[in-house]
Amino acid sequence: MTALILASTSPYRRELLVRLHLPFDTVDPQVDETPLPGETPLQLATRLAAAKARAGGLGRPDAIVIGSDQVADLDGAALGKPGSHAVALAQVQRMRGKTLHFHTAVAVARGPELVADVATVTVRVRDVSDAAIERYLRLDQPYDCAGSAKVESLGIALLEAVESDDPTALIGLPLIRTCALLRHFGLDPLA
């Protein structure tokens, strides 16, 4: 069987990929995630997913490698992983009462061939109080999530609506698109 590799250290992506019941290994792709000058959030997510898929396959040309990246887009500006309480607080305060787009790109590579797709999830954030934001951050500690929002846990209480055609995209790996890209390389979870 062909080796399948997830080029990610994200526990969320790993948990999602386990759902497909395919054996896989994980590697740290060690990709610089700094945005390029003038790069839109969508372009950033797409570029990073491809870079991770390519980096994860170095030295394993026959492996099928999945790379993914998510960038939150607020009014055309990228919101990354906050890394700290203070940054998360500022992010959520800036997001309240607004609509964001979470671009989750996935790329699958095998040797020199790479295919990719993007799922964009539209999220409407409630106009929540500072006290509610503080409570959410203290309980959920979403410091490793783009846009400081964990929709799979208490972060759902911050939201008015989520619109998506790929329900796992907001968590970090659009599985419908991932399955389609894996099938391109002859790897079907249902085969």
Side-chain angles (χ1 to χ4, degrees):
M1 183 173 182
T2 303
L4 179 63
I5 298 171
L6 175 61
S8 176
T9 59
S10 166
Y12 310 108
R13 287 192 183 100
R14 186 181 194 303
E15 288 173 17
L16 288 169
L17 190 56
V18 164
R19 294 182 187 185
L20 300 184
H21 295 275
L22 295 169
F24 67 94
D25 294 317
T26 58
V27 298
D28 182 348
Q30 298 183 2
V31 169
D32 180 359
E33 297 188 8
T34 305
L36 299 175
E39 192 171 41
T40 68
L42 176 61
Q43 291 168 333
L44 175 61
T46 303
R47 178 179 61 82
L48 292 178
K52 290 174 182 181
R54 292 201 188 286
L58 291 176
R60 308 256 327 251
D62 291 333
I64 295 173
V65 184
I66 301 168
S68 185
D69 197 78
Q70 182 180 74
V71 178
D73 178 343
L74 178 61
D75 300 327
L79 296 180
K81 297 173 187 168
S84 72
H85 184 84
V87 174
L89 178 63
Q91 280 186 349
V92 179
Q93 286 174 330
R94 190 170 156 211
M95 292 166 27
R96 67 177 153 202
K98 295 191 176 180
T99 297
L100 292 94
H101 303 285
F102 285 80
H103 305 292
T104 307
V106 59
V108 178
R110 184 175 197 180
E113 186 177 2
L114 182 136
V115 291
D117 202 352
V118 178
T120 297
V121 180
T122 300
V123 174
R124 286 196 321 265
V125 180
R126 294 177 42 237
D127 188 8
V128 294
S129 68
D130 284 346
I133 294 170
E134 188 66 40
R135 177 168 168 70
Y136 162 66
L137 293 175
R138 294 286 177 202
L139 291 171
D140 234 14
Q141 300 182 11
Y143 310 130
D144 62 345
C145 297
S148 304
K150 277 189 183 179
V151 71
E152 66 274 24
S153 56
L154 188 59
I156 199 74
L158 296 172
L159 308 181
E160 287 182 357
V162 175
E163 298 171 20
S164 175
D165 64 356
D166 202 331
T168 57
L170 194 53
I171 302 170
L173 184 63
L175 288 180
I176 293 171
R177 284 167 173 79
T178 300
C179 286
L181 298 177
L182 289 173
R183 285 191 300 270
H184 173 83
F185 290 102
L187 187 58
D188 186 342
L190 296 178

